[in-house]
Every structure is written in structure tokens, then in C-alpha cells.
């Protein structure tokens, strides 16, 4: 406990200012303003009770742990662990809500299950490019394989975050917006180099480069998910072939 208190004391800016705390709340407000209708901005704030408060606290802590530029968190964090900290509470919230019918739960889980294979392959490409799944190693790597993984990951965000044709009444409110901010922050942490010379303003610019296209897509792409559903299997196959070929090339190089 003493070590934990000392760790939090040395890194209080990460929890209270940036990337957590004040910065996360501003990002949350921007996400709600741009990704929701104005009449729905107050919807969901009063519904944060019990389990929802715990989930929101877990996501705020996850955002505070992200290795964004000029953060300097002392512990190396695995990308899969951070992703699980975002998705597992979301699944718990969906499955354990008592007033939802089974068909509603299935309808909300289906887009996630459909897009997870492409997300997993994109993360695999990032891991191959960096030789590690530690976020600090990933955001210090580069090359075409790295950026292909970033592009593949970004392409999963609309169905993953419930935007455009995947929007429903459960993707409104503070909790859903906070999950969207956590996902966008995690993608930025993998894409932006977290070196000491990287300015903090790059995190703001990167967030704007994600949020604005997603907001435009959310308003333009309504009721036309068939286009993505038709292309998604081909993207999964293409990414799987790239991952298999690159891993096979590495294996052959080691055998030689």
C-alpha cells in the first residue's frame, strides 16, 4: 500500500491533469458534443449508479495510464491489458443489465464480435512491427507494417464504438462517450511516439484527427452498414495473409 501511495504521489499529474483527470473530462465533453445529438447530451448522466460508477472510474484510470506524449508512466503496459480494461467492463455492463431482452443483448454484441477479428489482426501487425506488445515499444516503432496496423485498427472504430449505422439507444450517454474516449486514447498511444521530445499538443491534434472524421462519418453514414459488412471479411483475410507472410519471413530468417 505504501508503494502504491508513493507511486500515485509521484505521478499525480497523470491522474488529475493529463492524460487522465482534466484532459479526459475535456475529451469526454468534446466527444459528447460531436458524437451525440444535443437533445441527448444530458441523457445518461443521472443513470451512473453503482456498477456504472465503477466502470467509469476504471476507464478514467485506464486513460490516465496511457503512454501518450510527455506522460512518462514508469511501468511498461501491455496493449492487450489496456484493451481488456476497456472492453471487459463494457461486456459486463451489456450482459448484466437486467432490463434488456436477449435479442437486444445479441444485437449489441454482434458488431463487436464481427469486428474483433480485424482488431486482433491489426494489433498482431503492430506487435510484429515492434517485436513486442508493450505500448511504449509499439509507439516507438515504424514502417509500413506498423502503420498498416494503425489504419486497420482505426477502421474498426465505427462498429466498435457504435457510430453511424451501429448506433442504438445504448450508445448514448456519459458512459458510452467515456468508452469512446478511452478507445481513441489507446489508439493514439499506439500511434504517437511517446519520446520526451514529442510535444503534448500532438495528443490534442491526434485526438482531433480521430474525433472529427468519426463525427462526420457518424452523421453521414446512417443505415448503410452493408458496405462495411461486405468488405470486412476481405480485410480480415488480407490482414491475416500479411501477418502470416511477415511472421513466416521472420521464421525463415531465424532458421537460416
Amino acid at each position: 500500500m505504501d508503494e502504491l501511495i508513493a507511486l500515485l504521489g509521484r505521478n499525480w499529474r497523470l491522474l488529475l491533469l493529463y492524460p487522465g483527470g482534466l484532459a479526459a473530462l475535456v475529451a469526454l465533453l468534446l466527444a459528447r458534443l460531436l458524437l451525440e445529438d444535443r437533445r441527448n447530451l444530458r441523457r445518461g448522466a443521472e443513470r451512473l449508479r453503482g456498477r456504472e460508477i465503477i466502470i467509469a472510474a476504471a476507464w478514467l484510470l485506464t486513460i490516465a495510464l496511457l503512454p501518450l506524449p510527455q506522460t512518462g508512466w514508469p511501468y511498461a503496459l501491455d496493449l492487450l491489458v489496456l484493451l481488456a480494461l476497456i472492453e471487459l467492463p463494457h461486456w459486463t455492463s451489456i450482459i448484466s443489465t437486467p432490463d434488456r431482452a436477449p435479442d437486444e443483448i445479441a444485437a449489441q454484441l454482434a458488431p463487436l464480435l464481427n469486428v474483433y477479428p480485424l482488431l486482433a489482426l491489426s494489433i498482431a501487425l503492430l506487435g510484429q512491427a515492434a517485436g513486442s506488445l508493450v505500448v511504449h515499444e509499439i509507439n516507438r516503432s515504424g514502417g509500413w507494417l506498423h502503420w498498416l496496423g494503425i489504419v486497420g485498427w482505426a477502421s474498426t472504430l465505427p462498429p466498435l464504438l457504435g457510430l453511424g449505422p451501429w448506433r442504438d439507444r445504448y450508445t448514448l450517454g456519459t458512459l458510452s462517450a467515456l468508452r469512446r474516449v478511452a478507445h481513441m486514447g489507446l489508439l493514439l498511444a499506439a500511434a504517437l511516439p511517446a519520446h520526451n521530445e514529442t510535444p503534448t499538443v500532438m495528443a490534442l491534434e491526434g485526438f482531433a484527427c480521430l474525433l472529427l472524421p468519426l463525427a462526420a462519418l457518424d452523421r453521414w453514414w446512417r443505415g448503410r452498414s452493408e458496405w462495411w459488412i461486405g468488405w470486412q471479411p476481405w480485410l480480415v483475410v488480407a490482414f491475416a495473409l500479411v501477418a502470416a507472410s511477415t511472421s513466416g519471413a521472420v521464421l525463415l530468417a531465424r532458421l537460416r
Side-chain angles (χ1 to χ4, degrees), residues 105-115:
I105 295 176
Q108 193 171 1
L109 292 180
L112 300 179
L113 294 174
N114 288 334
V115 82

Side-chain angles (χ1 to χ4, degrees), residues 33 54 58 63 79-80 84 98-99 139 156-157 163 176 203:
L33 286 173
I54 297 175
I63 295 171
L79 180 58
L80 295 180
D99 58 344
N139 61 27
T156 67
L157 290 183
L163 299 175
S176 294

Side-chain angles (χ1 to χ4, degrees), residues 21-107:
L22 183 60
L25 294 178
V26 171
L28 173 64
L29 177 61
L30 291 174
R32 292 208 67 186
L33 286 173
L34 293 179
L35 298 178
E36 294 186 23
D37 297 332
R38 292 187 177 182
R39 62 179 179 270
N40 294 322
L41 289 181
R42 294 184 180 180
R43 181 178 179 179
E46 295 80 8
R47 298 174 62 187
L48 292 182
R49 298 291 186 273
R51 183 181 64 251
E52 287 81 5
I53 294 177
I54 297 175
I55 293 175
W59 286 342
L60 285 173
L61 179 60
T62 302
I63 295 171
L65 297 177
L66 295 177
L68 291 167
Q70 301 292 332
T71 54
W73 184 256
Y75 290 101
L77 299 172
D78 191 274
L79 180 58
L80 295 180
V81 172
L82 291 171
L83 189 61
L85 287 175
I86 300 174
E87 286 302 278
L88 288 181
H90 182 56
W91 275 71
T92 302
S93 176
I94 295 174
I95 295 174
S96 60
T97 302
D99 58 344
R100 295 189 191 179
D103 56 340
E104 292 180 331
I105 295 176

Side-chain angles (χ1 to χ4, degrees), residues 80 154 175 188 207 220:
L80 295 180
L175 203 62
L188 287 177
F207 183 73
W220 166 68

Side-chain angles (χ1 to χ4, degrees), residues 31 48 55 111 210 219 245:
L48 292 182
I55 293 175
L210 279 177
R219 299 181 187 280
S245 62

